[in-house]
Each structure stands twice: as structure tokens, then as C-alpha cells.
Amino acid sequence: VDAFGKRRKELGISESKPGSDIVTSLDLDLMLAAEKAMEGKKGAVVAIDPSNGDILVLSSFPSYDANILSGRVNLKDWPSINENPDRPLLNRAISSTYAPGSTFKLLMAAAGLQEKIVSPTSSVYCTGKYPFNGGVKRCHKISGHGPVDLSRAIIVSCNYFFYNLGKSLGVDKIHYYATAFGLGEKTLIPLEGEVGGLIPSQKWKAEKFKSKSHLRMDRWYDGETLSVAIGQGYVNATPLQMSVAISALVNGGKVYQPRLLKQIGNDNKKLFAERIVNQLPISPENLDTVKNIAIQVVGSKEGTGKKAAINGIAIGGKTGTAQTKNSGKTKVSKDSDDNAWFVSFAPAENPMIAMAIIVEGGGHGGRAAAPVSKAVMEKFFQKKG
């Protein structure tokens, strides 16, 4: 062709050959259920089969019509995608990190049990204000929750209880257990653009702020540990990582590499086997304790995840309301300046699906994200009959 795109002559012809078929783990019906439930929202939905790591849903919102990018791109269509302030080209499921907020408390509880810092009957009295170093850290319930044991601390999401637990664990123990769950590093899913998130430690901060040691910014402070203990501060994770973590919590401690591609080709099949990348350093008994409490988050009257409930099926979960850099300043959406999280699994007695949902600017996880879990799980169990 010449400079104007006109064909001048043929140099040769290569016959087209069909490519190999691929088989993915994705479930189209569940993807569509997630899309409908997330209509008008920004965020991501990831669902995994906790028994083998298969990814059932990997969705980012808002999305876009991929056909626009097939062949020549219309100059009118491209700005609608590329210049959209909602950034539809960003795969929020694997390329965006968020403070996990109170969903992180499930991991904290498992760590506390394993280290024998808390037991199922351990109790503290929440006054709404946790004192430290002459200051206070507030619980989300300003008047306080009163006496709370481990179960109630998770069910009502009491910050005071987890401030106390975090102080006893220390940031390095928190780092040890959180990274065991797969947080803080890439899952190595075979897609471009995955980021690793961050689980801080004293060593990390010393290296990160080494050049500012004269300002004492390389030191770790107690107040930072308290923030980390409730999934805030330096902690951030992708929705995919959180779905891997909740899967490990409920499957007996097996951390699977998430599997998206199952097979290539039909004749000489190339199969991709499931792969366990880690076994949690937490006993099955302690994992079961946390799992059973998570069921009450959805099933009890006081639970923050009631809107994820489905009649006849025991569902476990944990809500999260994560503050952003804008919190208290500029709202990231018309509803709120906080991100809404919900992690879930079902059926509780033998989990077949585990989910992580983030709604940017959704506010409370129980209000904005839990109903998304319900919509996807209803479709999942309808298909199971």
C-alpha cells in the first residue's frame, strides 16, 4: 500500500490458520450477574472457587465495549474511553489497590488466635476511645460497644478490640501473617498490569524512608500499628488478592495461585493444573473459629453483612468501610468519600465460592457491597440447583 493506504501490488498470500481454542475458568452467568449488580458503580468483583483457585468472576467497573478497539479505532469513540474520568481502561480487579478496611480483621483474628494473644472468649471493654501515647484512636461507634469478645468484635466490627490486638501482635507479626495469606505481592495471574499491594513492616519503613532518617520518618510508631490492625494506614491490596486470602481462610489454609486459563487446544491439549503456593501457618481449628464467626456477620441480627443473606444457605462474610486520602475533604462519589468492601464465602459448611467486592465511594460495605455478593451468589446457587 502507498502512503494513502491504497493497495499497489501483492507480494504473496498466506492462508489463514485457526488459532488454538482456550478454556478459561470464568463463568459468564456470574459475570453478567456482577455486571448488573454493579451498574452505575465504580469498583471490582472477584469470585474464586476456594477448592482449586479457579477464577469465576474477574470484573472491573465501569467497563467499555472492547469491539471499539478491534481494527481501526474511530476518532470519536477513543476519547469516550481514554478521556473518561471514571477510567474504564483500568482493570480495578488487579491493577488498583485499596485499603481493605475492616475485611482485614478476619486475618487479624486468625493471627491473634494462632499467637495465643486472644481466644474465642477474650474480652475488652470498648469505650469508643482507645488510649495510646497520650492520645486516642476512635472506634467507629463513638459511644463505644461496651464489653466485646472476639465474636462480637468481628460481628459489629469493633475497632477498639482490634487496636488492642494489633498493639499486642506488633506490625512485624501482622506482616508475617498477612503475607502468608498472599497479600503484599502479585498473585502472578497471567494478565498484564497486576500490582502487588503493600503490607508494611518495620524493615519496609526503614528502607522506604531511609533518606529522611534525619526527620525520624524511618521509625515505626505505635499509632501506625493501630491503623494497620484495622486495614488502614499503609496497608493496601487488590480485590484479587483479597479473594485469594478469603479463599485460604475457608478452605483449610491452602493459598492457591488464582487460575484463569485451564486449557489450550483440543487435540494436543495443554492443561494448567491447580497450584498451591503456600499453606497458612494457622491451625485448622483457629481458621474454623474465624470462619464460624464470619457466618454470624451475615446471619445474626447485629451483623453488619445482613444484606448478603440468602434464605436456606449459610453465608459468611465481613464488611469493610475504608477511608481514602479524600476522607473528610472531597467526596470521591456523590454518596461518600469512603470505599465499601465486602468479602464472602458460601456455603459455610463446604465453601464453593469466595468473593471480594469493592465499590469506590460506596460508603458502608454492608450497604453498598454486600448486595452485590448476594446477587452473584444467588445466580451461583441457582445454577447448582
Side-chain angles (χ1 to χ4, degrees):
V1 295
D2 59 20
F4 297 99
K6 294 181 179 179
R7 185 179 296 185
R8 293 301 186 185
K9 64 178 180 179
E10 274 181 4
L11 299 178
I13 296 176
S14 295
E15 294 296 330
S16 61
K17 295 180 180 179
S20 297
D21 290 340
I22 66 169
V23 178
T24 75
S25 58
L26 297 171
D27 187 309
L28 178 60
D29 295 320
L30 301 189
M31 298 271 282
L32 290 171
E35 182 175 338
K36 184 176 180 180
M38 287 289 288
E39 187 174 0
K41 299 180 175 71
K42 290 189 291 184
V45 178
V46 181
I48 287 181
D49 181 341
S51 69
N52 56 20
D54 279 358
I55 298 176
L56 306 176
V57 177
L58 188 74
S59 297
S60 177
F61 306 94
S63 189
Y64 61 94
D65 183 359
N67 290 306
I68 291 174
L69 304 181
S70 178
R72 290 188 177 185
V73 180
N74 190 308
L75 290 177
K76 294 181 180 179
D77 291 332
W78 176 240
S80 69
I81 300 176
N82 189 48
E83 298 174 12
N84 188 329
D86 289 337
R87 303 175 70 192
L89 288 172
L90 176 65
N91 187 344
R92 288 169 163 85
I94 66 170
S95 300
S96 288
T97 58
Y98 308 86
S102 292
T103 60
F104 194 68
K105 291 173 182 174
L106 294 180
L107 281 57
M108 286 289 298
L113 288 167
Q114 188 65 26
E115 290 293 315
K116 295 183 170 54
I117 292 172
V118 295
S119 72
T121 58
S122 295
S123 179
V124 300
Y125 193 93
C126 172
T127 63
K129 298 177 181 179
Y130 185 82
F132 80 101
N133 292 353
V136 295
K137 276 274 194 180
R138 295 186 179 276
C139 187
H140 67 86
K141 186 176 182 181
I142 297 174
S143 61
H145 291 101
V148 286
D149 59 10
L150 180 62
S151 275
R152 189 158 182 262
I154 292 175
I155 293 168
V156 301
S157 203
C158 176
N159 288 348
Y160 192 107
F161 185 97
F162 285 94
Y163 290 146
N164 200 56
L165 174 55
K167 182 181 178 181
S168 298
L169 276 171
V171 68
D172 289 337
K173 278 291 185 183
I174 297 173
H175 176 272
Y176 170 72
Y177 283 102
T179 54
F181 275 97
L183 304 186
E185 58 185 22
K186 296 179 181 179
T187 68
L188 301 182
I189 186 175
L191 291 174
E192 293 294 325
E194 185 184 18
V195 295
L198 174 64
I199 300 297
S201 65
Q202 292 190 69
K203 181 181 177 182
W204 167 83
K205 194 179 183 193
E207 293 175 351
K208 173 74 173 177
F209 296 101
K210 185 177 181 180
S211 64
K212 298 180 180 179
S213 58
H214 63 290
L215 299 174
R216 307 186 79 179
M217 290 181 65
D218 59 336
R219 289 186 55 191
W220 188 266
Y221 294 95
D222 290 343
E224 294 174 314
T225 302
L226 303 187
S227 294
V228 167
I230 60 168
Q232 294 279 175
Y234 292 114
V235 180
N236 60 73
T238 65
L240 176 60
Q241 288 173 328
M242 290 305 296
S243 65
V244 170
I246 195 68
S247 294
L249 182 73
V250 302
N251 70 12
K254 295 182 285 291
V255 182
Y256 283 98
Q257 181 176 358
R259 181 170 60 172
L260 183 63
L261 190 59
K262 298 182 72 171
Q263 175 185 315
I264 298 178
N266 292 321
D267 299 325
N268 299 315
K269 293 179 180 177
K270 181 178 180 181
L271 302 176
F272 295 84
E274 61 189 55
R275 180 171 174 243
I276 298 173
V277 295
N278 193 28
Q279 179 69 39
L280 292 178
I282 301 171
S283 71
E285 294 77 17
N286 287 334
L287 292 174
D288 281 344
T289 295
V290 178
K291 184 175 81 168
N292 291 332
I293 296 172
I295 297 168
Q296 299 176 62
V297 172
V298 177
S300 72
K301 291 181 179 179
E302 210 176 9
T304 57
K306 294 188 291 291
K307 289 190 176 182
I310 299 174
N311 289 336
I313 299 172
I315 294 172
K318 183 69 189 79
T319 56
T321 304
Q323 293 182 330
T324 68
K325 291 180 180 179
N326 288 323
S327 291
K329 299 176 184 177
T330 306
K331 291 186 181 299
V332 296
S333 81
K334 63 182 180 180
D335 299 317
S336 173
D337 49 14
D338 296 332
N339 290 329
W341 274 98
F342 192 67
V343 295
S344 57
F345 59 90
E349 60 274 15
N350 182 29
M352 293 186 285
I353 182 171
M355 299 182 65
I357 299 150
I358 177 81
V359 179
E360 292 183 11
H364 191 271
R367 182 181 67 248
V372 179
S373 171
K374 178 178 181 177
V376 175
M377 285 196 176
E378 280 183 332
K379 176 57 68 174
F380 178 85
F381 288 109
Q382 285 171 8
K383 294 187 69 174
K384 293 291 182 183

